[in-house]
């Protein structure tokens, strides 16, 4: 082979190698949270109506990349999905299911029975026979429509007071405490394969935890299928303590059920008058600027505190990953978190892993680093 042919062959070979490298690079997809934690638990988010309708291409891509579980923030609550006794509205729930199926996502239905955002006609029922009939129709119709498509349901939401007693609702008033078993049994009968959860906030509170355990044990004694408890993670930078979170995960798991961390957001702004909980019906009026300390931007020092808090919490989740089925962030980014307007309108909070421009925050990187460090 002469020199000219040699160099020609060499150039061709180098071009082929470069082409192969480019093809390999194309095959390497970017990793999201769902990929980082794929061996530990599902990573979910709550979607609002605009996100379900895929109106923002940047958010669409972020949701598909980062999460493998979705929960509807509002569109499956009874006042929207079943606004009148003889009327159901499935337009947005159907779009949610289609979005999840397109992206291969787990779907958490939210929620079948809840005293808040409740269809008005439920509140008018005083006869137990009528309530059973209406509740049966409600659950049969909704669960039946999505049988085999929705993977799990928050069957009953927030049925407990902070002291662990059952909350006074129309369901408790008309049917008594076993309305919970009735709701779970109805859902299980319609879709025997769907997972059934009880979901509530302040589930690290010792009194509420004791009430929840008592409630689940009673349902189990009645032969009711309960697959898991959803611990809403509407937490702050310092409270609840890691010890309280861990003790709760362990005690709920000891019931023989899964634990899901639901509605996770870490607030960085103060609560008025030391109010605790996550009751959406609670509202305060305040012109005190200390209640809205970061109206435009979160200081770097607080970004660091938030990152450290998320890292500590996720480290705990990884420690107990065999007990945890799913960790769901309650919102995609800081711009659409419900915390901006609760319990005081007009506040700016920064409780999630993505900022208002859908950019990864320091907290995001602190969480991802946990898995990177553990694999080294």
């Amino acid at each position: 082979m002469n020199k000219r042919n040699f160099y020609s062959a060499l150039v061709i070979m180098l071009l082929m190698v470069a082409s192969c490298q480019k093809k390999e690079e194309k095959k390497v997809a970017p990793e999201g949270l769902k990929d980082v934690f794929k061996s530990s638990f599902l990573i979910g988010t709550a979607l609002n109506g605009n996100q379900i309708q895929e109106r923002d291409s940047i958010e669409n891509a972020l949701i598909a990349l980062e999460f493998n579980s979705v929960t509807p923030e509002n569109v499956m609550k009874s006042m929207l999905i079943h606004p009148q006794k003889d009327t159901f509205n499935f337009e947005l729930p159907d779009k949610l299911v289609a979005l999840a199926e397109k992206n291969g996502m787990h779907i958490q239905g939210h929620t079948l029975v809840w005293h808040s955002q409740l269809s008005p006609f439920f509140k008018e029922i005083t006869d137990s026979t009528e309530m059973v009939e209406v509740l049966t129709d409600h659950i049969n119709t909704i669960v039946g429509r999505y049988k085999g498509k929705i993977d799990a349901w928050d069957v009953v939401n927030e049925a407990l007071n902070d002291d662990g007693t059952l909350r006074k609702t129309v369901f408790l008033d008309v049917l008594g405490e076993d309305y919970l078993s009735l709701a779970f049994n109805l859902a299980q009968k319609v879709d025997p394969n769907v997972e059934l959860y009880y979901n509530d906030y302040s589930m690290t509170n010792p009194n509420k935890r004791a009430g929840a355990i008592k409630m689940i044990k009673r349902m189990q004694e009645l032969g009711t299928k309960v697959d898991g408890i959803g611990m809403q993670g509407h937490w702050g930078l310092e409270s609840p303590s890691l010890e309280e979170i861990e003790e709760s995960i362990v005690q709920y798991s000891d019931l023989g059920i899964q634990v899901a961390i639901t509605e996770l957001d870490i607030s960085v702004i103060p609560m008025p008058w030391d109010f605790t909980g996550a009751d959406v019906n609670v509202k305060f009026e305040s012109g005190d600027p200390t209640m809205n300390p970061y109206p435009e931007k979160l200081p770097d020092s607080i970004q660091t505190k938030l990152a450290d808090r998320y890292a500590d919490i996720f480290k705990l989740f990884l420690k107990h990953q065999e007990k945890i089925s799913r960790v769901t962030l309650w919102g995609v980014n800081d711009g659409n978190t419900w915390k901006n307007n609760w319990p005081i309108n007009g506040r700016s909070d920064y409780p999630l892993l993505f900022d208002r421009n859908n950019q990864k925050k320091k907290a995001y990187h602190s969480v991802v680093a946990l898995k990177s460090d553990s694999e080294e």
Side-chain angles (χ1 to χ4, degrees):
M1 179 183 292
N2 59 38
K3 285 186 177 181
R4 183 175 181 180
N5 290 340
F6 172 77
Y7 286 120
S8 295
L10 181 61
V11 169
I12 291 171
M13 184 177 69
L14 291 173
L15 289 172
M16 290 176 65
V17 170
S19 177
C20 290
Q21 287 177 336
K22 285 183 179 180
K23 288 180 180 178
E24 287 299 316
E25 288 173 2
K26 288 181 181 178
K27 292 179 182 178
V28 179
E31 277 202 340
L33 291 168
K34 69 179 191 299
D35 306 300
V36 173
F37 293 96
K38 64 183 177 183
S39 62
S40 302
F41 33 68
L42 293 170
I43 296 289
T45 188
L47 301 183
N48 62 33
N50 287 331
Q51 291 159 346
I52 290 169
Q53 295 175 82
E54 302 184 80
R55 289 179 171 171
D56 186 314
S57 59
I58 294 175
E59 286 190 0
N60 298 344
L62 186 152
I63 291 164
L65 173 62
E66 299 289 346
F67 304 104
N68 54 11
S69 176
V70 288
T71 303
E73 186 174 16
N74 287 303
V75 302
M76 285 184 175
K77 290 169 181 173
S78 72
M79 67 181 295
L80 296 178
I81 199 171
H82 191 184
Q84 297 177 14
K85 199 171 182 179
D86 58 353
T87 303
F88 289 86
N89 181 5
F90 293 118
E91 181 182 357
L92 288 185
D94 283 354
K95 287 183 178 180
L96 171 80
V97 171
L99 170 64
E101 289 179 340
K102 178 175 68 175
N103 292 312
M105 294 170 160
H106 166 278
I107 307 173
Q108 186 76 22
H110 179 80
T111 172
L112 294 173
V113 179
W114 188 31
H115 67 278
S116 189
Q117 292 179 251
L118 182 65
S119 305
F121 67 84
F122 273 109
K123 302 173 186 178
E124 299 170 0
I125 300 172
T126 58
D127 177 73
S128 61
T129 300
E130 182 184 1
M131 179 64 83
V132 170
E133 290 174 351
V134 172
L135 198 57
T136 300
D137 179 58
H138 177 75
I139 292 174
N140 284 357
T141 303
I142 298 171
V143 177
R145 184 178 183 88
Y146 300 111
K147 180 179 180 179
K149 296 181 178 181
I150 285 184
D151 302 280
W153 279 101
D154 292 330
V155 181
V156 179
N157 195 52
E158 300 174 3
L160 293 167
N161 295 308
D162 283 347
D163 65 1
T165 60
L166 285 173
R167 183 192 297 269
K168 184 176 174 59
T169 67
V170 65
F171 303 108
L172 181 65
D173 287 346
V174 177
L175 296 176
E177 65 177 306
D178 290 334
Y179 81 87
L180 292 113
S181 276
L182 172 65
F184 275 77
N185 290 338
L186 288 170
Q188 193 267 336
K189 185 176 181 181
V190 179
D191 189 351
N193 296 318
V194 76
E195 292 185 347
L196 307 177
Y197 281 76
Y198 172 75
N199 189 59
D200 210 333
Y201 60 83
S202 298
M203 294 290 274
T204 59
N205 176 308
N207 291 330
K208 194 163 190 176
R209 182 172 66 218
I213 290 171
K214 178 182 177 182
M215 180 185 71
I216 297 298
K217 283 183 174 179
R218 174 165 176 80
M219 286 197 283
Q220 290 174 330
E221 289 166 359
L222 293 172
T224 301
K225 173 190 173 185
V226 181
D227 293 297
I229 272 188
M231 287 174 56
Q232 293 182 24
H234 297 303
W235 299 332
L237 288 175
E238 297 179 357
S239 178
S241 70
L242 294 175
E243 291 76 17
E244 288 171 324
I245 297 172
E246 182 170 32
E247 181 65 18
S248 300
I249 292 171
V250 170
Q251 287 197 26
Y252 294 137
S253 177
D254 285 344
L255 293 169
I257 59 179
Q258 285 287 298
V259 176
I261 307 300
T262 66
E263 310 191 24
L264 179 60
D265 46 28
I266 308 299
S267 181
V268 298
I269 57 179
M271 291 291 273
W273 300 284
D274 297 320
F275 172 75
T276 60
D279 189 334
V280 295
N281 297 304
V282 173
K283 294 287 185 180
F284 294 97
E285 296 291 334
S286 176
D288 184 351
T290 64
M291 290 291 102
N292 189 28
Y294 317 117
E296 302 296 334
K297 182 182 177 183
L298 195 62
D300 290 342
S301 60
I302 307 302
Q303 290 275 17
T304 298
K305 286 185 178 180
L306 181 65
D308 291 344
R309 176 66 163 164
Y310 261 110
D312 289 342
I313 287 172
F314 265 79
K315 192 180 299 181
L316 183 61
F317 295 164
L318 289 172
K319 177 182 176 181
H320 294 286
Q321 59 186 278
E322 76 285 352
K323 303 178 180 68
I324 296 173
S325 59
R326 174 176 48 94
V327 176
T328 291
L329 283 298
W330 203 242
V332 174
N333 62 50
D334 288 341
N336 51 51
T337 173
W338 73 295
K339 287 295 188 70
N340 287 326
N341 294 298
W342 181 88
I344 299 173
N345 283 329
R347 298 204 300 174
S348 296
D349 206 343
Y350 307 80
L352 298 169
L353 299 180
F354 295 91
D355 67 18
R356 283 163 169 76
N357 295 314
N358 293 301
Q359 297 300 304
K360 299 171 182 175
K361 292 161 62 176
K362 190 171 185 177
Y364 177 100
H365 297 293
S366 72
V367 165
V368 169
L370 295 174
K371 288 292 280 186
S372 300
D373 293 344
S374 67
E375 292 169 0
E376 290 180 356

